[in-house]
Amino acid sequence: MIEKILKQLSFYLGLVALGILFGFIFQAAQIEIRDLDLWLHLSMGKYIAQTGHIPQADMMSWTLPGKAWIDHEWLFQVVIYHIHNLWGWNGLQVMQGLLVLGVLGLLFFMANDKEKQILVIPLLFVVATILQQRFTVRPDLFSLLFFTVYIYVLSLHIDKKWTLPFLFLVQVVWVNFHGFFFFGPLFILMGIVSEFIKRKVRLPGEWNSIGRLTDEEYRGLKIILGVVVLACFINPYFWRGAGYPVDVLISTLNGQNKVFFQFIQELKRPLASGELFSLHQDGAYKLMILLSAASFFLNRRKIDISALFFWLVFLFFSLSAVRNLVFFAVAAYLVIITNIYQLKASDVIPLTFKKPVFVFITEIAAKVLVILSIFNMFNGDIFRGYYDFDNFKRKSEYGGVSLRDYPAQAVDFLNKNKISGKFFNDFNSGAYLIGRAWPDVKVFIDGRTEFYGKDFFEHYLKVWQKGEPDAIKKYVEDAGATGAFLNSARQTIPKDVLKYFYNSPQWKVVYFDCDAVIFLRDIEQNKVWIKQFGMDLSKWQAKTEDIFQMKAERVRPYRNQTRADTLFSLQLLEPAMAEAKEAMKISPTFYESYYVIGRIYALQKKYEDAYPFLRYAASVAEDNDEVRYDFAQCYYDLKKYDLALKEYQDILTDWPNDAIVHQLMAKVYVQMKKYGDAYQQLETFHKMKPQEVSKVLDVGDLVLEQKAYEPAEQFFKLGRNSGADQDLAHLRLGKLYLAQGKIPQAKTEFVMANKINPENEEVKTLIKENKF
């Protein structure tokens, strides 16, 4: 009797755990709208729905207008436009929740076995944890659902008559929803190859027979492959649309897409070398790799090679980019289920219970633990939020649109004042500008990486990331830009590009706030707007927030702090100081405010005033290397070299691969007149960064200032032995020899410098003055 009660209790407790998991994951999927590309999709969905025309060429950029463009996500765009039009943002979030529940539900039904409930629910929990990383309204989630549908149908219903037409329809929809549609035919192809090997190759153990299809099912699978491949051609672009994934694959293999994988967060690899064994970074993903690999080991005599191929393909796919982790999560779950279902409990757990009652008690305890883990995982997240400065209350991070992730007020400014033109913008702003300001505003770049291509993206990086004046002139000004939209919402505008536009007489600031800086080019079409909205940021007055309305609420003063950071980048120190002090009124413990004030005092050479601010920032932000470096530099500026050295040594412990710390330690040793130690540190730096000769020569200059000629010569020769900037090293050595009165040696070095770089004006002047 007790066994029956415990068995039923275990079963119903499992259902409760499953219900709680599904409930929490649905709520988690209601995360506020933050995705950047969504705005482009909504704009295109509206255009297609209203005109009935699917774009064949670009209409949204001014840099590549008319270039052929495959909008392979057009059907997704139309669907979400109509959902948003009917039910608003909440409609899109509910859609996202239903998609996730659909995926998890199918996974559950594929492994629905009362006896294995204790295994299935924790695995679903881990899968849900990985899925949570991709809770954005994007076509990827539809691809994940179609992917799971394929697996469900072919695993359980391959012999049904409706399977062929059903998968044909799924494939037609999928090819018009997202570029991952090739997963469908790929999955079938893997099954066919596996069946061929099972029939033709002698495999170890029982591999030839496990999961083997009947001859009729094998023939049917081949027919299904042909039909779904044909379905891929049912799209507005015919063979070009069907071949889109192949084009992307070829571009990836020949290195054309490498630059995107380096600079776009979702395309970066998930397993960094320093975090390989850490569960804090992608811990659930690593756990699924471990568990699925272990399942193959435990089931090594009865492996289904189709499951093995499936696992290997999607493991490799997931290792290429973090956005692909969700597909491996599904694949790993299915592999674990497939392998474990071939085993007995005693094959996995050496401990066995003589009485069933102990089995049920153990299951109950395990399921209670799972329930507590689910609560622990999701409960804190559900109540996350931040302060809404405009409405004087906290906003939940669930539901609605993010107030922090978009330059909303800046685009409101453009729309309200009917400002139009060809705008330079950063990569993250492009889709948002298209969604809210197109067609009045044409963009420089947006998230369509495959459309813009490697060369264009590298030109963009020269402008945005490096702020190269020649690149800005060529790709922005000479190309005909009339405006520049520099987004500072949840990102820092690179200092060099910001300073270029601000200092150029061709460009005028017409908007500045926490979310963006907008410049208009001083041309005829912008005269009225510049006259009305032009501003001098050196006279900027800090904005104040109503702290009385905030009461005792803990508030992150990101609006004042972002303005302070932008003003500091422009070296507008007084306005930056004022904004940082306003931020400190809101949150007296906000280290970023202390940090910017400390740097302002340091630039003003008020090092003793800077020290307490930088000290506080470094004590709070121990994991921020930039803060720690500035704190160490403050010791250096205060001539407290022993303390500076100790701080740099601590930095080296925390960031052992950071080369610059060795160069900075060399400078400290020089000030302490420990030239041998300085040389060792500089040599280490030079080995790590052989192209950065100027930093080697900078240390040599410090030695030369102390008139320590012999070690200075050694330092300059270290720079001269490099393959880069040799003319600078020869120049330094020439000046050293000149200071020592070694005229022949000086002449040799100046002549060599001139030979390497005839355009170096300083070398030419020295040669002329000394009549060499």
Side-chain angles (χ1 to χ4, degrees):
M1 181 67 178
I2 188 67
E3 290 179 12
K4 184 177 181 181
I5 293 174
L6 289 173
K7 184 177 182 180
Q8 287 183 331
L9 178 60
S10 175
F11 173 70
Y12 287 116
L13 197 60
L15 294 182
V16 169
L18 193 68
I20 292 171
L21 174 61
F22 278 35
F24 269 119
I25 205 69
F26 181 79
Q27 176 59 32
Q30 309 307 300
I31 191 79
E32 64 182 3
I33 300 295
R34 297 174 179 170
D35 186 67
L36 296 163
D37 290 340
L38 173 62
W39 299 88
L40 183 151
H41 292 313
L42 286 171
S43 183
M44 285 298 95
K46 178 180 179 181
Y47 173 83
I48 295 167
Q50 292 182 349
T51 66
H53 174 254
I54 299 170
Q56 301 287 320
D58 177 57
M59 309 176 295
M60 299 169 286
S61 79
W62 60 270
T63 45
L64 298 172
K67 179 183 175 181
W69 170 47
I70 297 176
D71 186 7
H72 58 279
E73 297 161 342
W74 72 271
L75 187 54
F76 164 77
Q77 294 164 348
V78 171
V79 168
I80 63 167
Y81 164 71
H82 284 300
I83 291 175
H84 178 256
N85 200 37
L86 290 171
W87 297 295
W89 301 114
N90 289 339
L92 293 176
Q93 287 152 339
V94 169
M95 177 200 77
Q96 179 170 255
L98 293 176
L99 287 171
V100 174
L101 290 186
V103 171
L104 293 178
L106 288 171
L107 294 180
F108 173 73
F109 285 119
M110 275 188 273
N112 188 16
D113 185 335
K114 292 182 181 180
E115 304 301 323
K116 298 293 194 300
Q117 199 185 59
I118 188 61
L119 170 68
V120 172
I121 296 172
L123 282 177
L124 281 175
F125 174 48
V126 179
V127 172
T129 303
I130 298 172
L131 293 187
Q132 195 177 9
Q133 300 174 26
R134 293 298 291 173
F135 282 173
T136 56
V137 182
R138 302 185 72 169
D140 309 44
L141 274 182
F142 280 95
S143 274
L144 187 64
L145 178 64
F146 297 145
F147 175 67
T148 311
V149 165
Y150 251 87
I151 298 168
Y152 175 79
V153 171
L154 291 174
S155 299
L156 302 180
H157 303 288
I158 192 172
D159 57 336
K160 303 296 193 303
K161 291 183 178 180
W162 54 264
T163 297
L164 179 62
F166 178 76
L167 290 181
F168 173 79
L169 291 174
V170 170
Q171 191 64 35
V172 169
V173 174
W174 198 353
V175 75
N176 292 286
F177 253 79
H178 192 227
F180 283 175
F181 65 84
F182 70 94
F183 283 164
L186 177 64
F187 180 65
I188 298 172
L189 181 62
M190 285 190 290
I192 292 172
V193 171
S194 300
E195 286 300 316
F196 178 83
I197 293 173
K198 288 175 186 178
R199 285 165 163 76
K200 301 295 183 181
V201 179
R202 183 170 179 79
L203 301 172
E206 301 177 36
W207 292 20
N208 288 92
S209 60
I210 295 297
R212 183 165 171 169
L213 300 178
T214 65
D215 290 343
E216 184 178 354
E217 289 171 339
Y218 184 33
R219 284 193 298 272
L221 195 61
K222 293 176 183 178
I223 294 170
I224 292 172
L225 176 62
V227 169
V228 298
V229 167
L230 289 175
C232 294
F233 290 86
I234 303 178
N235 69 83
Y237 307 95
F238 192 50
W239 63 268
R240 289 192 300 125
Y244 168 80
V246 177
D247 293 337
V248 173
L249 178 62
I250 292 172
S251 297
T252 302
L253 292 176
N254 65 21
Q256 286 291 308
N257 291 339
K258 185 178 180 180
V259 65
F260 303 129
F261 285 82
Q262 291 175 336
F263 288 97
I264 299 175
Q265 190 61 40
E266 68 172 22
L267 297 180
K268 290 185 177 180
R269 296 181 184 276
L271 297 183
S273 57
E275 301 166 341
L276 192 58
F277 300 104
S278 170
L279 290 180
H280 295 292
Q281 185 71 25
D282 297 319
Y285 168 63
K286 294 171 185 175
L287 180 61
M288 288 301 278
I289 294 176
L290 183 64
L291 291 176
S292 52
S295 74
F296 279 116
F297 175 77
L298 293 170
N299 190 43
R300 56 191 177 276
R301 291 192 54 81
K302 298 181 179 180
I303 289 178
D304 184 342
I305 61 168
S306 60
L308 179 60
F309 289 159
F310 180 58
W311 181 76
L312 288 171
V313 167
F314 284 95
L315 174 62
F316 176 78
F317 182 65
S318 67
L319 290 171
S320 67
V322 293
R323 72 174 182 181
N324 302 332
L325 301 190
V326 292
F327 292 93
F328 176 75
V330 170
Y333 169 90
L334 294 168
V335 160
I336 294 169
I337 295 299
T338 300
N339 284 325
I340 295 300
Y341 275 31
Q342 297 284 344
L343 302 171
K344 299 175 184 177
S346 58
D347 295 328
V348 182
I349 306 173
L351 178 65
T352 57
F353 297 103
K354 292 182 178 179
K355 294 184 178 180
V357 66
F358 293 115
V359 175
F360 299 134
I361 291 173
T362 304
E363 287 184 357
I364 290 169
K367 288 171 183 177
V368 169
L369 184 62
V370 170
I371 291 172
L372 293 175
S373 298
I374 294 170
F375 271 102
N376 183 60
M377 176 71 186
F378 292 109
N379 196 37
D381 290 347
I382 297 300
F383 299 103
R384 288 187 320 195
Y386 52 90
Y387 192 74
D388 179 352
F389 286 92
D390 295 319
N391 295 300
F392 307 111
K393 63 180 181 180
R394 286 188 69 78
K395 182 198 177 300
S396 169
E397 290 192 15
Y398 293 87
V401 181
S402 171
L403 303 178
R404 302 179 298 179
D405 290 85
Y406 302 116
Q409 293 178 347
V411 178
D412 288 343
F413 170 81
L414 292 176
N415 291 337
K416 178 182 177 181
N417 297 292
K418 296 181 171 54
I419 297 175
S420 59
K422 301 174 180 179
F423 274 71
F424 169 77
N425 60 277
D426 60 285
F427 180 80
N428 290 332
S429 300
Y432 187 71
L433 283 168
I434 290 169
R436 292 206 51 213
W438 179 77
D440 292 332
V441 169
K442 296 292 183 70
V443 300
F444 182 88
I445 194 171
D446 55 76
R448 297 171 294 161
T449 52
E450 76 288 345
F451 168 73
Y452 288 98
K454 168 181 172 289
D455 292 342
F456 186 91
F457 193 76
E458 288 177 341
H459 299 330
Y460 158 75
L461 290 176
K462 288 180 180 179
V463 175
W464 174 254
Q465 203 169 62
K466 299 178 181 179
E468 294 182 5
D470 290 344
I472 297 174
K473 186 176 187 309
K474 179 178 180 180
Y475 302 118
V476 178
E477 294 175 340
D478 292 350
T482 62
F485 188 97
L486 309 186
N487 173 14
S488 57
R490 300 302 286 266
Q491 67 177 12
T492 301
I493 303 171
K495 181 172 62 176
D496 290 336
V497 70
L498 178 63
K499 290 175 72 173
Y500 179 92
F501 282 107
Y502 185 74
N503 293 326
S504 171
Q506 288 193 62
W507 297 90
K508 305 297 180 183
V509 179
V510 294
Y511 174 90
F512 169 65
D513 213 316
C514 62
D515 58 344
V517 185
I518 300 177
F519 296 87
L520 291 181
R521 198 168 183 176
D522 194 1
I523 55 178
E524 187 61 36
Q525 76 176 65
N526 293 332
K527 290 291 185 186
V528 173
W529 295 316
I530 290 173
K531 183 178 180 180
Q532 186 175 358
F533 302 111
M535 59 177 67
D536 180 357
L537 292 185
S538 66
K539 299 177 181 178
W540 176 262
Q541 298 296 310
K543 291 188 176 183
T544 59
E545 304 286 357
D546 190 345
I547 59 174
F548 298 105
Q549 293 284 355
M550 296 176 192
K551 301 176 184 177
E553 188 85 39
R554 293 185 64 182
V555 177
R556 185 178 183 276
Y558 68 91
R559 303 212 298 193
N560 290 99
Q561 187 58 46
T562 301
R563 288 191 290 266
D565 290 337
T566 302
L567 291 165
F568 179 80
S569 293
L570 291 171
Q571 302 291 284
L572 301 175
L573 302 186
E574 294 305 321
M577 176 79 81
E579 286 285 1
K581 287 182 176 179
E582 286 298 326
M584 289 179 70
K585 289 179 185 178
I586 297 170
S587 178
T589 59
F590 194 60
Y591 88 83
E592 286 95 333
S593 304
Y594 285 82
Y595 181 45
V596 76
I597 291 174
R599 286 186 293 165
I600 289 170
Y601 281 134
L603 282 176
Q604 295 172 335
K605 301 188 185 303
K606 299 176 181 178
Y607 302 123
E608 290 189 359
D609 292 332
Y611 178 78
F613 289 94
L614 293 174
R615 176 183 173 276
Y616 177 79
S619 68
V620 175
E622 293 180 349
D623 58 347
N624 187 318
D625 59 340
E626 186 178 349
V627 173
R628 296 272 297 279
Y629 275 119
D630 282 328
F631 180 53
Q633 180 64 38
C634 189
Y635 275 131
Y636 181 90
D637 293 330
L638 288 166
K639 297 182 171 37
K640 298 181 182 295
Y641 300 122
D642 55 337
L643 294 173
L645 184 62
K646 178 64 171 64
E647 190 62 30
Y648 284 132
Q649 288 169 341
D650 290 342
I651 290 172
L652 183 61
T653 301
D654 293 336
W655 292 279
N657 297 320
D658 209 347
I660 192 64
V661 69
H662 294 285
Q663 191 257 4
L664 295 170
M665 288 172 68
K667 291 173 70 174
V668 175
Y669 278 125
V670 167
Q671 298 294 0
M672 299 169 77
K673 294 186 169 52
K674 295 182 178 181
Y675 301 121
D677 292 330
Y679 186 82
Q680 287 181 358
Q681 292 296 329
L682 199 61
E683 196 172 34
T684 301
F685 168 79
H686 186 54
K687 287 177 181 177
M688 297 174 74
K689 295 285 185 179
Q691 299 303 310
E692 295 193 18
V693 177
S694 62
K695 294 190 183 302
V696 175
L697 301 178
D698 288 344
V699 180
D701 288 339
L702 288 178
V703 182
L704 184 58
E705 286 175 12
Q706 297 175 356
K707 298 185 178 180
Y709 296 129
E710 186 176 336
E713 181 179 10
Q714 188 182 19
F715 284 33
F716 290 145
K717 284 183 176 179
L718 178 64
R720 189 182 65 180
N721 294 335
S722 172
D725 294 330
Q726 287 189 359
D727 59 315
L728 300 179
H730 285 291
L731 171 62
R732 297 297 211 290
L733 279 166
K735 292 166 75 174
L736 169 66
Y737 292 139
L738 201 61
Q740 293 176 285
K742 298 179 179 180
I743 305 303
Q745 292 94 324
K747 178 180 179 180
T748 300
E749 296 299 333
F750 288 143
V751 170
M752 283 298 299
N754 184 251
K755 184 177 180 180
I756 294 169
N757 183 9
E759 303 303 318
N760 191 315
E761 293 297 330
E762 186 178 3
V763 173
K764 289 193 287 187
T765 300
L766 286 166
I767 289 175
K768 184 177 180 181
E769 288 178 351
N770 292 280
K771 300 179 180 178
F772 291 148

